[in-house]
Amino acid sequence: MSHLFPNYARKPFEIVEGTGLTVTDQTGKQYLDFTSGIGVVNLGHHYPAVEEALAQQAARLWHMPNLYESSLQEEVAAGLAGELDYVGFFCNSGAEANEAAIKLARKFTGKSPVVTFEQSFHGRTYGAMTATGQDSIHAGFEPLVPDFHYGIYNDYDSIDTLIDSETAAVLVELIQGEGGIITAEKAWITALAEKCRACGALLMVDEVQTGMGRTGSLFAFQQFAIEPDIFTLAKGLGNGIPVGAMMGKRALASAFGPGSHGTTFGGNKLAMAAAKAVLTAMKAPGFFDEVNLRSQELFAGLTAITSDKIEDIRGLGLMIGIQLTSAEVLAEVSAVLEEKGLLTLRAGKNVLRLLPALTVSREEVKEALALIQEVLEK
Ligand SMILES: Cc1ncc(COP(=O)(O)O)c(C=O)c1O
């Protein structure tokens, strides 16, 4: 009998080893991992440079509280900010990063209403769960945090009716990941950003799933020609070591003075060593050229599949959704893929989600495509 809460619907096998995109279960069966641990292990399992950085840091110092300076935190925040004038706050998960964003927005603006969107996913803590625009995720946990308002994604009327001079902030994903790989229209995001600016509402982009290279650039917002006031990260930032980050424009810093917000483990030395190594790998010349080539190969291969089970293929970079005709078809397809050795994910009700590591090889793309074609054309 299990000693765990049954809050996860677990598959009846355990992955015990992994290198790159190849993982092995307890019986020795190998799989090609097109999940990256739900968009976490973006450089693949066992990535040597991250492992090396962790080993070196582990031999030196694991943890000191945020009562002292941290050059590692400074380096990672500077690396994430790049050319832009952002400052960072480190935490341990995506939900915590969004929690920090919501708190900062309310404190900085002195206003309360926060606008988010239907089908969004922002995490499971009270603020992040309330921000999440899905009734099924709220069910049983009421009362929720007050003053959250849900717009319709990609809908211009929602921008007009929900955002005004009283709004503290808007929190949005540029591709709704858990919601079904639904991509925001660029013109709609531009209109959203303009409305926020006009109303003095902060534009907060949840890059927890889209960030750290997933969409073919370090952050998805770089492809949408916007500069969010705040963006949040987690998942791929530590390549499997738990770490989250909230990046905000320097002008917001005054609202998060000493004692305003914090977390014991935030910016832990091991997490920062991993994040620094991840950033170094992703900033290497040509890294994203390869990612985008693999993305093109995957999209080309998928669109060449002729199957009446496919309703739509969409996404950006290596965040790809194949919308199938029903939840039942999806369950059957993913089970057969798994049996044949390809691990995939679900998004929304009927979307087969592919999140291979960004280091996926051309051969692995071909291998996955052959399996997907075989199963979908059957
Ligand atoms: C867009 C987005 N935001 C936030 C989260 C929550 O992150 P975490 O599970 O690390 O709290 C997720 C997790 O799937 C996510 O996809």
Side-chain angles (χ1 to χ4, degrees), residues 30 54 89 129 140 180 317 361:
Q30 291 200 328
L54 272 171
F89 162 79
M129 173 182 69
S361 69

Side-chain angles (χ1 to χ4, degrees), residues 330-342:
L330 171 63
E332 194 191 318
V333 165
S334 56
V336 180
L337 285 172
E338 182 184 292
E339 192 193 306
K340 289 182 182 291
L342 181 68

Side-chain angles (χ1 to χ4, degrees), residues 21 32 64 114 130 275 312:
L21 277 84
L32 187 56
M64 278 300 284
V114 176
T130 305
D312 192 22

Side-chain angles (χ1 to χ4, degrees), residues 117 159 163 170 172 174 185-205 224-229:
F117 295 92
I159 297 179
I163 307 166
V170 173
V172 66
L174 297 176
E185 287 163 21
K186 288 196 173 158
W188 182 72
I189 289 293
T190 306
L192 183 65
E194 272 166 14
K195 185 72 194 268
C196 284
R197 199 176 315 121
C199 293
L202 299 185
L203 176 63
M204 314 200 293
V205 174
F224 282 75
I226 52 162
E227 226 178 83
D229 295 298

Side-chain angles (χ1 to χ4, degrees), residues 38 93-96 98 121-123 173 178 206 208-209 234-235:
I38 322 190
S93 68
E96 275 182 73
N98 287 330
F121 186 81
H122 299 294
E173 292 162 273
E178 301 304 310
D206 181 339
V208 168
Q209 192 159 154
K235 288 193 183 282

